[in-house]
Amino acid sequence: MNQKPSNAFVAASWIALLAGMISFIIGLWNADMLLNEKGYYFTVLMFGLFAAISLQKSVRDQLEGIAVTQIYYGLCWFSTLLAIVLLTVGLWNATLTLSEKGFYSMSFLLSLFAAIAVQKNTRDLKKAESEGR
């Protein structure tokens, strides 16, 4: 039986998601790199967020006995890992300082983690609402 998430946890999850995304995007905005490089990193962020949310949903569906095809489940894992690998390869080859690389890595991972938490909270709140809690 799932418990309804607290308002504090819901708020903390949203704040973490916004902090990670906004930090990453502001970092890109202020970065001294070509527009196509900025576009690459922005696309990897959006792809990673979608993949992480989709992975959380498919894992949760399986745990709750909702049918999930193995190909979709595998694609969710592959996409999430691919987003992380794409960011890693991009940063490895970038001519950025180590502190900038660390900044992008940490804000990206914070965003992915927070997106998973927000998705979980959204689902738990919807379930609690439908059960009348």
Side-chain angles (χ1 to χ4, degrees), residues 15-32:
I15 289 168
L17 177 60
L18 292 173
M21 287 178 57
I22 291 170
S23 296
F24 192 95
I25 292 168
I26 288 173
L28 282 180
W29 185 269
N30 292 320
D32 186 27

Side-chain angles (χ1 to χ4, degrees), residues 4-17:
K4 180 180 173 184
S6 69
N7 290 335
F9 184 63
V10 171
S13 299
W14 276 103
I15 289 168
L17 177 60

Side-chain angles (χ1 to χ4, degrees), residues 11 16 19 21 24 54 60 78 84-85 90 92 102 109 118 127-129:
M21 287 178 57
F24 192 95
S54 191
R60 178 81 176 262
F78 176 75
I84 294 168
V85 167
W92 184 273
L109 292 175
V118 166
K127 187 173 185 176
E129 180 185 297

Side-chain angles (χ1 to χ4, degrees), residues 102-113:
F103 165 79
Y104 287 115
S105 300
M106 294 311 296
S107 59
F108 180 79
L109 292 175
L110 173 65
S111 298
L112 291 189
F113 174 78

Side-chain angles (χ1 to χ4, degrees), residues 1-108:
M1 183 168 131
N2 291 338
Q3 187 176 356
K4 180 180 173 184
S6 69
N7 290 335
F9 184 63
V10 171
S13 299
W14 276 103
I15 289 168
L17 177 60
L18 292 173
M21 287 178 57
I22 291 170
S23 296
F24 192 95
I25 292 168
I26 288 173
L28 282 180
W29 185 269
N30 292 320
D32 186 27
M33 59 177 77
L34 297 175
L35 189 56
N36 65 334
E37 291 176 286
K38 291 180 181 186
Y40 172 80
Y41 289 113
F42 179 75
T43 302
V44 169
L45 174 66
M46 293 297 114
F47 174 56
L49 291 173
F50 179 80
I53 290 169
S54 191
L55 176 61
Q56 192 281 337
K57 183 184 179 337
S58 64
V59 168
R60 178 81 176 262
D61 283 351
Q62 281 192 335
L63 290 174
E64 293 180 356
I66 299 170
V68 176
T69 63
Q70 286 302 308
I71 193 158
Y72 183 75
Y73 184 73
L75 281 171
C76 289
W77 273 108
F78 176 75
S79 297
T80 302
L81 294 173
L82 180 61
I84 294 168
V85 167
L86 286 171
L87 183 78
T88 303
V89 169
L91 290 176
W92 184 273
N93 292 306
T95 56
L96 301 171
T97 63
L98 286 178
S99 61
E100 288 174 305
K101 291 178 181 185
F103 165 79
Y104 287 115
S105 300
M106 294 311 296
S107 59
F108 180 79

